[in-house]
Amino acid sequence: MPLTHDSNLPSIHISMGEQDGQSWLAPGPEKQIIALLDALNDSIFVIDTHWRCTYMNQTAEALVGKTRAELVGKNVWEVFSDATNIPFYTEMHRAVQEKKPAHFETFYQPLGKWFDARIFPSPEGITVTAQDTTERRVTEEHQQALQHQIESEQARLQEVFNQMPGGVVIAEAPGGKILMGNQQVEDIFRHPVLPSPSLHEYNEWAGFHLDNGEPVKSEESPLARAIATGEVVRGEDYEYLRGDGTCCVIRLNAAPIRDTQDNIIAGVVTITDVTEQRELEQRKDEFISIASHELKTPITTIKALTQLLKRKLERQGLTESAASLTKIETNVNKLTRLANDLLDVSKIQAGRLDYAEKSVDMNALMRDIVETAQQISTTHTISLHGMVQKNIIGDGDRLTQVFVNLLTNAIKYSPQANNVDVFLAEEEDKITVSMQDYGMGISKEEQAKIFDRFYRVSDEKHLSVPGLGMGLYIACEIVKRHGGDITVTSEEGKGTTFFVSLPFGTHVGV
Ligand code: ADP
């Protein structure tokens, strides 16, 4: 279709010369114009009413990969025959028909390039200016693909979050701006959390310390600490006043999130509502406390009456009946120990375990313990090694409780062995008592747990030995109250050694 001749729009008309070398340039002022056009960054094509290219600047040569000799004077749709089904063709024809300039961006497959093109129709034909926008488009497409990838990963992450049983929040480092969270967070707090401007505000209503009821400061929260220190914070409980005015206890775990250069860029916190669990534990503790108190009175009565009856029967020469009462007495003693342990556990829970503060001669204390244990044990030889020079300050009865428990364990968890060794050693600032047995041992994973309340190693060998998992918990608490510590080394099938260190000069309860 030839171009129509009617427009006030900008146009450039350049005379054609020979197509060899520079000879296609017209003489006169046009020469300067041509030089100027060649210097432009934009490609310029001038096309006449018969779709013949009458001029193209140097930039245009580079853009389409054709020399002026190849294109000037030719019908552009013949040279670019494969461009007839892209916007170039339709837009150029439309601009001509409507006599209106056009602006569009299009991809031209044969050259693998994006063009930003403007078309200006005029009575003499059309002028096309074009820029190669491939680099920008590729960058944009790359960014879009990246953005899309981020968005779809975020959506996937959100989906995972939504499936989680508890609440999850991700906050930006260092400001603490909350980036993501799930519905469960709001369900737990009964309070709109997301979008929440920052961790700081989040913390203001996040909770109170369980032990003293003080509000949690923003920099103290597990998430803020994980972001600030890079450490993982595990299982911390806080009380929280929910949006509806009720109280709950939440358990928080927090961890930092790092980029590939190891910089902390965010933090994640998981939130579990442990209110019911805590209430249940509290009720269990109360039950233990009441039950152990209630057990003590009848046990004491039974014990006193048994002793009385035994003495009476012995006086009457009824030794056989008296022996049966001895068995009753032994079992009542076991019951007494059990009730006492239960009582101690509930006192520890309530922070009410009493301690006396006296000078304790550890040589005498350990000698008594070992001698008494030796009198009872028919299976093991218990040897005490070493002596110390100085006394410690503490509660002798409570320390006896610790070492009796360790020694009883050493004997009962080494049924195939014949010996238990007890070592007493003194260092500059502390006394260490080591209790070594040659029994079944404790696996590495279990060693960290055996000091927990009611914890028992749950393999067949250990469970064949009677016990309730209270002794080490009580022992650990007593030793800690003396400012000391208790540790264990053990090898399965070879034996176990417990080490109790007690410092000189520390007051009980410090
Ligand atoms: P228990 O009444 O069950 O003995 P403890 O609190 O004294 O309770 O000990 C906790 C657990 O630690 C025991 O159930 C046992 O599995 C393990 N344990 C303690 N002492 C030893 C030991 N000397 N050798 C092997 N296992 C031990």
Side-chain angles (χ1 to χ4, degrees):
M1 181 192 72
L3 304 191
T4 46
H5 291 226
D6 179 27
S7 175
N8 296 322
L9 298 163
S11 71
I12 303 167
H13 179 73
I14 296 155
S15 335
M16 290 288 303
E18 298 295 309
Q19 291 187 11
D20 54 348
Q22 297 294 305
S23 62
W24 53 275
L25 290 176
E30 284 184 353
K31 203 170 172 177
Q32 276 95 43
I33 297 171
I34 299 284
L36 181 76
L37 291 174
D38 276 344
L40 291 178
N41 278 337
D42 280 12
S43 301
I44 297 170
F45 302 87
V46 180
I47 295 164
D48 71 9
T49 52
H50 299 285
W51 296 109
R52 279 191 309 253
C53 177
T54 58
Y55 169 75
M56 62 197 275
N57 67 355
Q58 253 175 20
T59 321
E61 286 188 310
L63 181 72
V64 295
K66 292 208 185 298
T67 62
R68 288 187 258 223
E70 286 174 285
L71 195 55
V72 171
K74 308 261 170 59
N75 181 307
V76 289
W77 304 125
E78 280 167 18
V79 180
F80 298 108
S81 55
D82 36 18
T84 52
N85 58 354
I86 62 166
F88 260 122
Y89 187 86
T90 45
E91 289 292 330
M92 276 158 83
H93 282 79
R94 199 171 54 76
V96 167
Q97 259 176 356
E98 295 175 6
K99 303 186 186 86
K100 279 190 192 149
H103 179 201
F104 58 93
E105 197 167 13
T106 187
F107 185 70
Y108 184 43
Q109 183 65 42
L111 293 176
K113 284 181 182 173
W114 277 93
F115 294 100
D116 181 54
R118 287 173 194 275
I119 299 165
F120 304 98
S122 74
E124 289 82 22
I126 57 170
T127 304
V128 179
T129 66
Q131 270 183 347
D132 182 351
T133 53
T134 314
E135 208 176 300
R136 175 175 58 76
R137 285 297 294 233
V138 168
T139 313
E140 268 173 22
E141 274 170 18
H142 187 67
Q143 275 169 351
Q144 270 170 13
L146 212 65
Q147 184 63 28
H148 182 72
Q149 194 184 345
I150 291 170
E151 277 166 15
S152 67
E153 270 171 20
Q154 261 181 359
R156 264 216 316 265
L157 194 62
Q158 186 69 54
E159 191 52 38
V160 173
F161 278 13
N162 293 344
Q163 299 303 325
M164 285 176 74
V168 191
V169 169
I170 291 188
E172 199 175 52
K177 183 174 158 227
I178 294 181
L179 302 173
M180 278 183 101
N182 61 2
Q183 180 59 39
Q184 289 84 317
V185 180
E186 303 199 350
D187 295 345
I188 292 170
F189 292 131
R190 300 180 191 167
H191 189 295
V193 177
L194 303 164
S196 176
S198 80
L199 182 62
H200 179 68
E201 280 175 45
Y202 163 79
N203 277 324
E204 277 179 1
W205 47 262
F208 303 88
H209 291 286
L210 277 176
D211 48 357
N212 56 15
E214 292 287 321
V216 179
K217 292 193 193 113
S218 55
E219 68 275 14
E220 278 176 356
S221 85
L223 186 51
R225 272 159 38 221
I227 287 176
T229 65
E231 274 166 26
V232 176
V233 182
R234 286 182 216 280
E236 292 189 2
D237 290 356
Y238 297 94
E239 195 167 18
Y240 170 73
L241 193 64
R242 289 186 182 119
D244 62 3
T246 58
C247 273
C248 67
V249 179
I250 51 168
R251 182 159 300 160
L252 301 178
N253 289 288
I257 300 174
R258 296 169 192 272
D259 65 10
T260 46
Q261 270 92 48
D262 220 28
N263 302 311
I264 296 171
I265 50 166
V268 58
V269 63
T270 63
I271 304 152
T272 315
D273 187 344
V274 290
T275 316
E276 274 184 32
Q277 196 180 324
R278 299 261 322 187
E279 279 168 5
L280 215 68
E281 272 169 26
Q282 244 163 24
R283 280 213 294 279
K284 194 177 72 191
D285 289 345
E286 276 163 28
F287 170 77
I288 292 172
S289 170
I290 294 166
S292 50
H293 264 113
E294 293 300 315
L295 276 172
K296 277 209 86 170
T297 323
I299 290 172
T300 315
T301 315
I302 295 171
K303 195 172 173 177
L305 289 175
T306 312
Q307 280 169 352
L308 209 72
L309 202 58
K310 198 174 123 190
R311 275 202 294 275
K312 216 173 191 177
L313 290 173
E314 276 168 353
R315 273 203 301 274
Q316 289 171 6
L318 298 167
T319 42
E320 218 170 288
S321 307
S324 299
L325 283 177
T326 308
K327 278 188 196 147
I328 294 177
E329 213 180 357
T330 313
N331 282 296
V332 171
N333 285 342
K334 276 190 193 165
L335 269 178
T336 311
R337 269 201 305 280
L338 175 65
N340 282 341
D341 278 357
L342 278 171
L343 203 59
D344 283 349
V345 167
S346 59
K347 279 183 184 167
I348 291 170
Q349 285 302 109
R352 283 190 281 106
L353 196 62
D354 308 322
Y355 294 88
E357 211 171 275
K358 286 190 186 138
S359 175
V360 182
D361 175 353
M362 286 299 289
N363 297 318
L365 185 120
M366 292 312 297
R367 205 174 42 239
D368 287 352
I369 292 170
V370 168
E371 277 172 11
T372 312
Q374 190 61 82
Q375 277 165 18
I376 300 165
S377 176
T378 51
T379 51
H380 291 69
T381 304
I382 308 156
S383 318
L384 178 63
H385 312 268
M387 283 196 70
V388 292
Q389 303 301 319
K390 285 196 273 177
N391 288 3
I392 61 152
I393 305 291
D395 186 322
D397 290 342
R398 288 291 179 201
L399 290 174
T400 301
Q401 198 178 341
V402 171
F403 296 116
V404 166
N405 180 260
L406 293 179
L407 197 47
T408 311
N409 281 354
I411 294 168
K412 71 179 181 177
Y413 292 107
S414 66
Q416 313 293 336
N418 309 314
N419 294 303
V420 172
D421 289 300
V422 183
F423 300 90
L424 199 50
E426 183 175 328
E427 285 170 51
E428 201 185 315
D429 55 346
K430 63 181 180 191
I431 283 174
T432 302
V433 180
S434 326
M435 199 81 70
Q436 184 170 16
D437 69 55
Y438 308 92
M440 54 186 78
I442 308 162
S443 71
K444 262 254 153 319
E445 307 85 67
E446 300 283 0
Q447 286 172 27
K449 303 181 199 159
I450 53 173
F451 298 100
D452 290 350
R453 190 165 57 129
F454 303 129
Y455 191 83
R456 303 206 68 213
V457 176
S458 55
D459 65 30
E460 228 175 279
K461 264 188 286 165
H462 284 85
L463 291 181
S464 66
V465 178
L468 285 170
M470 289 188 281
L472 287 181
Y473 171 74
I474 298 169
C476 188
E477 184 65 22
I478 294 172
V479 172
K480 270 198 267 167
R481 286 287 295 266
H482 281 77
D485 64 54
I486 178 164
T487 53
V488 61
T489 59
S490 185
E491 203 177 326
E492 278 182 282
K494 293 241 163 102
T496 305
T497 307
F498 281 91
F499 301 90
V500 176
S501 295
L502 297 165
F504 297 118
T506 306
H507 292 280
V508 177
V510 174

